[in-house]
Amino acid sequence: MLVNNKNYRTVWMQDNFVYLINQQLLPHKFEIYKSSNHLETADAIKTMIVRGAPAIGATGAFGMAQAALEFTGKDFENFKIHLRKAEQVLKSTRPTANDLSFGIDFVMRKTLDNFDADIAKKYSVGAANEYADWNADLCKSIGEHGNKLIGENHSILTHCNAGALACVDFGTALSPIRVAHYSKKNIFVYVDETRPRNQGASLTAWELSQENINHSIIADNAAGFFMKLGKIDIVIVGADRIAMNGDVANKIGTYEKAVLAKENNIPFYVAAPLSTFDINSKTGSDIPIEERHEDEILYMHGMDESGEVKKFRISPRESSAKNPAFDVTPAKYITGIITEKGVIKPITEEIERFVKNE
Amino acid sequence: MLVNNKNYRTVWMQDNFVYLINQQLLPHKFEIYKSSNHLETADAIKTMIVRGAPAIGATGAFGMAQAALEFTGKDFENFKIHLRKAEQVLKSTRPTANDLSFGIDFVMRKTLDNFDADIAKKYSVGAANEYADWNADLCKSIGEHGNKLIGENHSILTHCNAGALACVDFGTALSPIRVAHYSKKNIFVYVDETRPRNQGASLTAWELSQENINHSIIADNAAGFFMKLGKIDIVIVGADRIAMNGDVANKIGTYEKAVLAKENNIPFYVAAPLSTFDINSKTGSDIPIEERHEDEILYMHGMDESGEVKKFRISPRESSAKNPAFDVTPAKYITGIITEKGVIKPITEEIERFVKNE
């Protein structure tokens, strides 16, 4: 992704250091967080310096490589014990993130498939880089498939941040938008601000600004208004988990936009890698919905005039809030799912065919 | 309405002063704003110290009375010219608000139905008070009619603030909720926070807190989620203007909630006085939609830890926003319109019968 006209990834490794775009400070300040060891990397995941399932997965992978490099002995059994400890620390940072385990396990497997600690260390760094490259490549493929759905002069609505920042590069929902822009299509993006955590207004708008892609932030309430006016040609969102019948769990509000898109005959696409399909979830009702702390509704974060980023109360002290973090959009509202292998119809037979061929 | 267990109205007049509950400071601080002349009152409308169509109507009426009192001459023709100027200033503050014209015209008619400026001044103050009392009474009637639609243990969703603060007292959408609570029904209110100005999270939640009515604030994105879960029995919202075919202009996001209510078979009611019907708007497409400043999206107001209410940026400096303040909900999504004369079906014949009998 472009930041200040330079190419960046969300996370990368150089020597013993893991570098992360500090997402806690965005969109107000662009800073690279430098982690010196796997414990600092674990902390960066925990404190949400990095967020987004694929980005967390890659960060976990790099954290494991760091842990391998930190080992100073020669004995392979001790090396294994050291790695298992690090694995536990890294995996416990965000226990529900499936991609985190996936990234860590990938590096562990390639590292332990050795018998010499010094050689294994090199393999661990190679494996972490391979994992990150693999993620960036599949996001790029999602972009190329999704780009075919975006026409000249199209306006696209997106919800939350399914961008490069949530992945290693390109993003999922934002990848087709990036590729359309790189291929010189004239496009415009309506960015749902995405309360309560405002990932749209803060992260998606920031990514689009940096790439010089025309966009406007809108209140989540205004998406239906612009749809009804005929201003939106296509909706593209990400996904946190997809059931085998095509029901999609994603950021709260996705269901609302999907119903409104259908009502206004606007195609509604979900962009996600095949790894997002959960073979254990037959339908959306099998997907647990996380309820997050009410403070995300009652307070907000923003930068005051002095340039300080602070927490502000935006509700009466006496009021409480309910804060479901995700909702499930039934497959009937979804036009298609854009994956790295192509666009899938949200029907069980087709999904099974794609997921099993993976 | 109850505030700190005392009865208040949103706006009232004493001597030459118009007093307003300062809604810019709520829910953090309860303060009364004192306006010395009609220009300050116009400014209070423009800067949204007072908001909500009926409250603006009453404030406009009191502003006209102030303008009348400000006239120092004796010549009735000059008095008329003076009033016409004030009328223009007051009417131009909020172009979408039908009630504003209604309140101002009411006072103008009663004031100009004289031939002596000194007598006319007294009539103007009397007319403004009459207008405010009339509004409070009809809101109470809306509450009584609407209460019949609310059952024991019902959960009600409301959007924005169509509360006592938006009127002179009782409110429109909140009036049935108040009356249900006063009649000891066990009810629960889901309060849409209503971005961008957060009138739900700040004003509606504050009013409900003050009256001790059970409620939770939710992100606008979560309304559909709770509807789909079967948690919401009825939706009641206000209206800024209603076309003669039953199309309703109201706060941005109303259209979204109406579509979602219909999709989930939940009755969707609009609570509004008959004065909200605009005989010049045959359908919703005749209603102009106000586009407000993008800063309402890009910034927010909140109270920091020191107790200071501040403006803070929540979006990238490079990003812009689009901010339609209202949307139009087509009549087909609306179950009924709760007026002071009873509940009306949103069909032209019935609306015409009610409006003409007024």
Side-chain angles (χ1 to χ4, degrees), chain A residues 28 193 195 201 215 217 220-221 224 228 256-257 263-264 300 303 313 316-317 319-320 322 328 333, chain B residues 28 193 195 201 215 217 220-221 224 228 255-257 263 300 303 313 316 319-320 322 328 333:
Chain A
H28 308 296
E193 64 173 359
R195 282 282 291 152
H215 68 282
I217 302 166
D220 301 303
N221 281 321
K228 187 156 149 279
E256 293 197 356
K257 304 319 152 197
E263 192 75 6
N264 290 284
M300 268 193 93
M303 190 176 66
R313 179 115 196 165
R317 287 188 182 287
S319 291
S320 63
K322 286 184 195 288
V328 172
Y333 299 107
Chain B
H28 309 295
E193 62 174 2
R195 281 283 290 152
H215 68 282
I217 302 167
D220 301 302
N221 281 322
K228 188 156 149 279
Y255 165 67
E256 293 199 355
K257 306 315 153 201
E263 191 75 6
M300 270 195 92
M303 189 175 66
R313 179 116 195 164
S319 292
S320 63
K322 288 184 193 290
V328 173
Y333 299 107

Side-chain angles (χ1 to χ4, degrees), chain A residues 330-341:
Chain A
K332 66 173 173 178
Y333 299 107
I334 297 164
T335 312
I337 303 166
I338 309 165
T339 73
E340 66 272 31
K341 302 282 187 200

Side-chain angles (χ1 to χ4, degrees), chain B residues 190-246:
Chain B
Y190 285 84
V191 181
D192 275 350
E193 62 174 2
T194 321
R195 281 283 290 152
R197 294 182 64 89
N198 267 41
Q199 294 96 332
S202 53
L203 305 177
T204 297
W206 182 80
E207 283 193 39
L208 295 174
S209 298
Q210 291 292 330
E211 300 271 1
N212 263 318
I213 299 173
N214 291 327
H215 68 282
S216 275
I217 302 167
I218 59 171
D220 301 302
N221 281 322
F225 172 86
F226 288 111
M227 287 188 196
K228 188 156 149 279
L229 266 188
K231 296 279 190 193
I232 290 166
D233 299 294
I234 181 172
V235 185
I236 309 179
V237 301
D240 280 79
R241 199 184 288 207
I242 308 178
M244 295 304 281
N245 72 338

Side-chain angles (χ1 to χ4, degrees), chain B residues 64 70 73 117 187 214 223 241 263 279 284 325 341:
Chain B
M64 278 310 301
E70 286 157 28
I187 56 167
N214 291 327
R241 199 184 288 207
E263 191 75 6
I279 51 166
K341 301 282 187 201

Side-chain angles (χ1 to χ4, degrees), chain B residues 80-274:
Chain B
K80 270 189 194 169
I81 293 165
H82 168 79
L83 284 190
R84 294 277 176 224
K85 262 195 209 155
E87 179 194 1
Q88 273 196 331
V89 169
L90 286 161
K91 280 189 178 174
S92 68
T93 51
R94 293 294 300 277
T96 313
N98 198 40
D99 282 42
L100 178 60
S101 297
F102 199 73
I104 290 169
D105 291 346
F106 183 87
V107 175
M108 278 294 270
R109 210 163 47 242
K110 297 237 169 178
T111 307
L112 295 183
D113 192 21
N114 285 289
F115 44 85
D116 179 282
D118 283 335
I119 294 174
K121 285 180 189 180
K122 280 179 199 151
Y123 270 87
S124 73
V125 175
N129 277 315
E130 190 186 334
Y131 185 84
D133 289 346
W134 165 79
N135 189 268
D137 286 348
L138 69 81
C139 282
K140 194 178 171 193
S141 298
I142 287 171
E144 284 158 356
H145 289 293
N147 174 37
K148 294 172 199 155
L149 304 168
I150 298 174
E152 177 64 11
N153 298 321
H154 264 189
S155 284
I156 304 126
L157 174 73
T158 190
H159 191 67
C160 196
N161 177 261
L165 289 168
C167 303
V168 175
D169 203 354
F170 288 95
T172 54
L174 289 194
S175 188
I177 291 169
R178 273 202 163 77
V179 176
H181 175 72
Y182 295 157
S183 65
K184 310 274 182 220
K185 281 180 195 165
N186 177 37
I187 56 167
F188 187 87
V189 185
Y190 285 84
V191 181
D192 275 350
E193 62 174 2
T194 321
R195 281 283 290 152
R197 294 182 64 89
N198 267 41
Q199 294 96 332
S202 53
L203 305 177
T204 297
W206 182 80
E207 283 193 39
L208 295 174
S209 298
Q210 291 292 330
E211 300 271 1
N212 263 318
I213 299 173
N214 291 327
H215 68 282
S216 275
I217 302 167
I218 59 171
D220 301 302
N221 281 322
F225 172 86
F226 288 111
M227 287 188 196
K228 188 156 149 279
L229 266 188
K231 296 279 190 193
I232 290 166
D233 299 294
I234 181 172
V235 185
I236 309 179
V237 301
D240 280 79
R241 199 184 288 207
I242 308 178
M244 295 304 281
N245 72 338
D247 291 351
V248 169
N250 190 44
K251 182 61 54 204
I252 190 77
T254 303
Y255 165 67
E256 293 199 355
K257 306 315 153 201
V259 169
L260 285 154
K262 183 154 195 132
E263 191 75 6
N264 289 285
N265 296 311
I266 297 164
F268 185 94
Y269 285 95
V270 172
L274 288 169

